[in-house]
Amino acid sequence: MGLFPRFDEEESGRGEDIPRKTGFPRLWELASRDFWDNFRAGFLALAGCVPFIAGMFFAVSAHAVLLAPLAGLVGGAVAGPELCALADTLLRGLRDDTGRVWWRTYRTAWRRSARAALLPGALGGALLGTQIFLLLHAGALQVDLATSLALVLGVLLLLGMSLYLWPQLALMELSLGRLIKNSALLFIAQLPRTAGAVAVFLAYILVSLRFFSFAVSLLPLTNFWLPTLPALMLIYPGLDQAFGIEEKFREGQEPPQGGG
C-alpha cells in the first residue's frame, strides 16, 4: 500500500469512497505528488517573466518613467502564455487530473491559450510596471503616504485579479471584457478566500525581500509554483462552483471551452 492514493490511467478520477483531503494535508498531497509538474511549469513561468524583470530593472536604474510601462507591456505579453500554462498545470492537480504526460499536456495548454493571453499579459504588465516604478521612486517624486498606500493596494488588487484571470484563460475562451468582469465578480464574491490568497503572495514577497540572498538562491526551485499553489487552492472552490470544473472532469471531459 502506497503513502498516497494511486492516480493511474485506470483511475482517471478519485474514487467516490475516498474522501479528498482538506487544509494542510491536501496542500502537502498536491505539493508532493505533483512536485515535478508544478516545478517545471513554474520554472517556465519564471523564465517567461525574465524580460519583464530585466526591463523593469533597466527602467528603475535609469529612472526612466516612460520605460516602465513599455517594459511591462512587452514583458507582460511574453509572460502571459507561461502564466496561463502554469495555471492549467495547477488546476489539473487540484482536480486530480493526473497520469498524463506533462510536457504534452503543458504544450497543448500553452498553444490553446497563448494568443488570448498576450493582451491581458501586456495590459497587466504595463499597469504593474508603472505601479512598481512609482513605488520605488516615491521619495524622488514626492509621492505622499496616501498615494503610496493606494499604489500598494493597487498591486495587491492586480495580484488578486490575476489569480482568477489566468485560470479562466486556461479553462475557456472569453473576451477580455468578460475575463475582467468575471475576475472582479469572483474576487468580491469570495472576498475572504481572495484576501487569504493575496496574503499568501504578500507573505512570500516580504519573506523573500527580508532574506533576499537566500531567497534568490532558492528561486529556481521555488519559482512561481510555491506561492501560487496554496493561493489557487484557496480560491479553487469558487472557480469550481462558477465553471463546473469538477463536474466536467467527473464526466470525463475537459473543462468548458466557451461561455462564462
Side-chain angles (χ1 to χ4, degrees):
M1 180 179 295
L3 179 61
F4 299 111
R6 290 183 58 192
F7 299 91
D8 50 30
E9 294 181 355
E10 295 180 358
E11 292 182 304
S12 59
R14 178 180 292 267
E16 294 182 358
D17 57 335
I18 303 177
R20 179 176 284 175
K21 296 181 177 73
T22 58
F24 284 106
R26 175 61 172 167
L27 180 60
W28 173 254
E29 178 188 32
L30 295 171
S32 57
R33 184 194 68 194
D34 305 326
F35 173 78
W36 286 112
D37 290 355
N38 296 340
F39 164 74
R40 288 177 287 192
F43 187 83
L44 290 175
L46 176 62
C49 290
V50 168
F52 175 86
I53 297 171
M56 286 303 303
F57 180 81
F58 179 78
V60 171
S61 300
H63 308 290
V65 64
L66 295 180
L67 285 180
L70 179 60
L73 189 76
V74 176
V78 174
E82 283 73 28
L83 293 173
C84 190
L86 170 62
D88 181 84
T89 296
L90 296 177
L91 284 171
R92 289 183 185 278
L94 284 164
R95 65 177 183 262
D96 295 321
D97 183 3
T98 60
R100 299 171 182 262
V101 178
W102 174 80
W103 175 244
R104 186 183 304 164
T105 305
Y106 178 92
R107 185 173 56 186
T108 299
W110 191 95
R111 288 176 174 174
R112 184 177 64 229
S113 57
R115 182 178 297 179
L118 292 177
L119 183 56
L123 295 178
L127 181 57
L128 180 61
T130 303
Q131 291 172 325
I132 291 175
F133 183 92
L134 293 176
L135 279 172
L136 294 178
H137 290 80
L141 296 174
Q142 297 182 342
V143 176
D144 58 28
L145 179 60
T147 304
S148 297
L149 290 176
L151 287 170
V152 172
L153 290 175
V155 172
L156 296 179
L157 176 62
L158 189 60
L159 284 174
M161 291 283 288
S162 70
L163 278 171
Y164 293 103
L165 188 144
W166 298 122
Q168 285 184 80
L169 274 176
L171 292 170
M172 64 195 77
E173 298 175 1
L174 293 173
S175 65
L176 179 61
R178 179 62 65 86
L179 281 171
I180 295 175
K181 178 181 178 181
N182 287 351
S183 298
L185 291 175
L186 287 167
F187 185 105
I188 297 171
Q190 50 174 4
L191 190 57
R193 288 183 174 272
T194 302
V198 173
V200 169
F201 272 107
L202 183 59
Y204 183 79
I205 293 171
L206 293 177
V207 171
S208 297
L209 292 175
R210 176 63 178 83
F211 305 99
F212 185 76
S213 299
F214 183 67
V216 168
S217 66
L218 289 180
L219 189 59
L221 180 64
T222 58
N223 52 68
F224 286 170
W225 77 267
L226 185 60
T228 307
L229 176 60
L232 193 55
M233 179 179 161
L234 280 170
I235 66 168
Y236 181 72
L239 291 169
D240 179 37
Q241 183 178 8
F243 305 117
I245 301 173
E246 298 282 343
E247 180 181 358
K248 293 295 182 181
F249 179 59
R250 284 193 297 269
E251 293 173 356
Q253 304 173 8
E254 286 291 308
Q257 297 300 311

